[in-house]
Amino acid sequence: MEAEELRVGFVGAGRMAGGLARGLLRAGKVPASSVVASAPSDKNLDTWRESGCRTTHCNLEVLQESTLVFLATKPHVLPGVLQEIRPAVGPHHVIVSLAAGVTLQTLQRSWHPSPIPISPQLLPAGTKVLRLMPNLPCVVQAGAMVFARGSGAGDEEAALLKNLLSSCGLCEEVPESYINIHTGLSGSGVAYVYLFAEALAEGAVKMGMPGGLASRIAAQTLLGAAKMMLETGEHPAKLRGDICTPGGTTIHALHQLEKGALRATVMNAVEAATNRACDMAED
Ligand SMILES: NC(=O)c1ccc[n+]([C@@H]2O[C@H](COP(=O)([O-])OP(=O)(O)OC[C@H]3O[C@@H](n4cnc5c(N)ncnc54)[C@H](OP(=O)(O)O)[C@@H]3O)[C@@H](O)[C@H]2O)c1
């Protein structure tokens, strides 16, 4: 599908949808005139209109006007949305759900026209569905996203999604079983990093540095360390070792972190969030 003929729709126009759309527009992946978003209120739609995108309060209109459709409502709203859009979903559509905890199995449970109403919230059989799990930094085009494809989606759809979303950060295709792990590592992981950044800055405040400056330096330290990891491709243990002068400041500090069991605590945190994501998906 050529970028100029691609029409992208968003059902739900909140923070995550807005972040993805901004990435696509900034990278020139699609023109604003080819993007349409729907939401019940104008609360978020004003911003979309200011960017030149089209907006509507009618979800069906998004389906009628686009081929690639992101379902970006909160998960509890999604069953109603699926029921509403189902009559307009066709074989030309590629449907990408962002809803946390809503599995591909749920999304693609087939619905066939029948006099007996069965599972009224489901999409037509064979619909090309993919499940995307973004994280919050997608809104500044520095996200870490994974996606899994449903049985109706092929290489073409996966490549399309990966190519488009590369404008919003790292985007990798994974088996669906990794999606909850991604939530524990990266979705929730962003909050662990904020906690670490806060502690880093407060350490500096304790030693006499003004808070604002300490915060900015803490953020830049995380950014720089992350960039080194990505650009060198080195294992973090190697990069850490490079900073440790024998008998120097860093090894003294690392000893304190080891005494506080930082590594085991962070591993426990990833495990706890992953398990919670699995539990929530089963509810
Ligand atoms: N935020 C994250 O960090 C994150 C991470 C991973 C996955 N996700 C997933 O991304 C999805 C969106 O999250 P978000 O943070 O962007 O939520 P959000 O900011 O609350 O946005 C939700 C959007 O859905 C719209 N909406 C509500 N009911 C609707 C309906 N019946 N039809 C169409 N649109 C409707 C809302 O309309 P109004 O504008 O009128 O309020 C709003 O625009 C969720 O499923 C979440 O699980 C989010």
Side-chain angles (χ1 to χ4, degrees):
M1 209 177 294
E2 293 300 319
E4 56 269 22
E5 69 188 40
L6 181 69
R7 303 186 70 82
V8 182
F10 291 85
V11 174
R15 208 160 40 159
M16 199 46 73
L20 295 184
R22 244 187 330 273
L24 299 183
L25 296 180
R26 280 189 189 162
K29 298 277 184 185
V30 278
S33 56
S34 297
V35 176
V36 57
S38 66
S41 77
D42 278 321
K43 194 174 75 187
N44 290 295
L45 293 181
D46 288 342
T47 321
W48 291 73
R49 285 193 283 268
E50 281 160 23
S51 314
C53 301
R54 293 194 329 89
T55 64
T56 171
H57 296 303
C58 172
N59 293 336
L60 277 178
E61 224 174 287
V62 173
L63 271 289
Q64 284 152 2
E65 293 183 16
S66 36
T67 39
L68 175 65
V69 180
F70 290 93
L71 303 179
T73 67
K74 291 288 187 198
H76 69 278
V77 180
L78 195 62
V81 167
L82 290 174
Q83 191 172 7
E84 187 187 345
I85 64 171
R86 187 185 59 210
V89 175
H92 60 293
H93 282 118
V94 179
I95 308 285
V96 182
S97 165
L98 273 63
V102 179
T103 63
L104 283 169
Q105 196 194 9
T106 300
L107 291 164
Q108 65 193 4
R109 219 177 282 145
S110 311
W111 176 87
H112 298 278
S114 152
I116 307 158
I118 40 166
S119 306
Q121 77 275 24
L122 306 170
L123 295 172
T127 302
K128 292 173 200 144
V129 185
L130 299 102
R131 179 179 172 199
L132 174 71
M133 188 51 58
N135 71 349
L136 192 56
C138 285
V139 306
V140 291
Q141 290 75 59
M145 290 159 278
V146 294
F147 71 90
R149 58 173 105 164
S151 54
D155 289 347
E156 195 186 335
E157 288 74 32
L160 172 73
L161 191 64
K162 193 167 174 168
N163 170 34
L164 283 179
L165 293 185
S166 61
S167 59
C168 302
L170 178 79
C171 182
E172 301 269 354
E173 182 175 5
V174 296
E176 192 181 15
S177 58
Y178 291 3
I179 286 192
N180 288 333
I181 305 175
H182 175 76
T183 302
L185 167 67
S186 184
S188 301
V190 175
Y192 326 150
V193 174
Y194 287 142
L195 188 72
F196 184 74
E198 188 189 344
L200 208 53
E202 282 184 349
V205 171
K206 186 179 178 197
M207 300 316 291
M209 187 182 277
L213 178 62
S215 236
R216 289 197 300 282
I217 293 177
Q220 182 64 25
T221 304
L222 296 179
L223 185 68
K227 214 166 168 199
M228 289 276 295
M229 242 175 104
L230 288 172
E231 285 187 8
T232 64
E234 294 282 9
H235 192 283
K238 157 83 171 68
L239 294 169
R240 181 165 54 79
D242 289 347
I243 309 169
C244 284
T245 312
T249 57
T250 311
I251 193 66
H252 276 79
L254 288 172
H255 187 200
Q256 294 301 321
L257 293 174
E258 294 290 8
K259 280 200 270 187
L262 179 80
R263 256 194 289 197
T265 308
V266 173
M267 286 171 71
N268 286 341
V270 175
E271 185 179 7
T274 304
N275 288 339
R276 182 68 189 129
C278 294
D279 291 347
M280 287 168 75
E282 282 165 15
D283 282 348

